[in-house]
Each structure stands twice: as C-alpha cells, then as structure tokens.
Amino acid sequence: MDDDLEPARVAALAALIGWADRRERLSADRADLVAAAWRTGTRNVAELARLARVSRDTVYADLAARDVAVGDRAADRAGPLAGRGSPLRADSVRAVGQVADAVTRPAFGHDPADPVTRAAHVASGVLELVADVLDPPTDQGPGWTRPELLRDLADRGGDLTHHALRALAGAGERERLVADADLRRRSVLHSGRHAVAVGAVVTLTTPTGATTTLEVGADGTGWTTLGGPLLSGDVDALDHLEVRAALDVLARVATRHLAESAKTERRRDALPGGPPPRQRVTPSNEDDAR
C-alpha cells in the first residue's frame, strides 16, 4: 500500500467508525420522536414510517422500545406540553454536525468560492457551535463561556445569511429581486401587525475617523439607492439584498416598540396576488415497494 495514502486510510476508517457510533445515537433519537408523535395523536404506523422514511417494522420496534402499546389505540393522548420529543442534547447535535462537516468540508475544498457550498459549510459549523452552547467545553481555556459562544453563534448566522444572499444575487435577475422585495413588503404589511422599513439615514464613522451620512432609499423601479458624500460606485444585486435584509432587521426591532394605535387587526386571509404555498411531497415506503 502506498505510504502516502496511509493517513487518509486511517482517517477514513476513523470517520466510518464515528459514523457507526453516531448512527446508534441517532436511532435512539428517532425512537423518541416516533413515540412522541404516537403519544400526541398520530396513531397510523404507515404514516409514521413514511415520514421517518423507515419500514413499518422499524416503527413498531421504536414504539416497543419506548413502552408504547400499539394495540391500545384508544389510549389517552399526551397533554399539550408532554410527549413532544426530547430536549436538545449536545451529543446528538454534535453527531449531526460531524456528519454535515464530513459532507461539506470536501465540497468546500473543491470549490470554496461557491456561495451555496460556503453556506452549507457554515451551517455544519453552526451545528458544532450549537453543541458547544449546550455543553460548553471546560478544557479549552478562555473564550468558551455560554455568552461568548452565543455571540459566535449569532455571527455565524450572519455569515450564513451573507452566503445565501450571494447565491441569490447570482441567480436572480434585477426585476425579479425587485418583485420579491415588493412582495415581502406587502406580505408584512398585510398582516396588520408589523412595520416595514423603506429607507434609513445612518451616521457612519469611516476608518480615517471622519463622520459622514449614509442615505438608504429606492429609485422609481424599487432598486436600492445609497447616497452620501463619501460613497461611490453602483449598487449591485448583493448590495440590494443585504440592504433590504438590514432594513428588515430594523423594522423588526421597531415593530417591537410600535404603538398599538399604529397596528390593525391581525389578518388571516391570503395576500392577493401572492404565490401559492410551497409544499414538499415526501415519498412513502409503499411507493418504494412498488
């Protein structure tokens, strides 16, 4: 065997062993979730098997492992606060994060510039960070307290949003991006309970220490505009999307402080002219059998 391949071979075997260990824990988590779904009223084994994408025998085994009497379909359902799965556990989240990292790290090495790949790689790191938040390590020195980890988690969320918007900027035409922003604005206002931000005036401090004003708005087509004495260059698609996202955050904060007199009754009807709801069709085991 080529000695140069030995480290890679050992790493591959270690990853395979780790996957087997994680699989056992994930099976236990699945049994908890299957039992929770049963106890809260889903008493159809075929439906549970379809949603979990396992066989009916596996569902029966999961229910038996959690002391669920399948034959007693008239048993009382769990109360509204009971039987809804189990608390988030650091070991389970870490296992999923390691699997995600095993998938996204090679892809990141192959094409680190691809924004979707970058988003996926950041997401795998977010899972690892969530595990650290749930169970902060005590042997890593300073910087690993829960508040510090939560700050890092918020920053990673911003990175994920940035890469997702990069992908969207590359895939969407200007007219479509403007239409999407208008639909979102109308949807938020249609609820009757939330404000939208259509522009802003921001005071900036530049790296030289100078102070300048940034004016954010939109032109007649709905495309984002940026104005200020020290600004130059056109607003591209990524600029437009990130500014809209920032305005959404400002509006969300403002809405929490909005006077009740500025709101209307909550509306339940669909937004006129909005797209139909998107639904995912999950294949069943019976479909696979055919």
Side-chain angles (χ1 to χ4, degrees), residues 110-134:
H110 172 72
D111 189 3
D114 178 61
V116 174
T117 299
R118 293 287 295 270
H121 189 52
V122 170
S124 69
V126 166
L127 289 170
E128 293 277 4
L129 191 51
V130 168
D132 286 335
V133 169
L134 295 171

Side-chain angles (χ1 to χ4, degrees), residues 12-23:
L13 290 177
L16 182 60
I17 294 170
W19 175 83
D21 290 340
R22 293 192 299 271
R23 182 183 182 186

Side-chain angles (χ1 to χ4, degrees), residues 190-193 260 263-268:
H190 184 74
S191 71
R193 310 299 294 173
E260 193 64 28
K263 304 176 184 179
T264 64
E265 291 295 325
R266 186 177 299 278
R267 300 183 61 166
R268 305 293 183 183

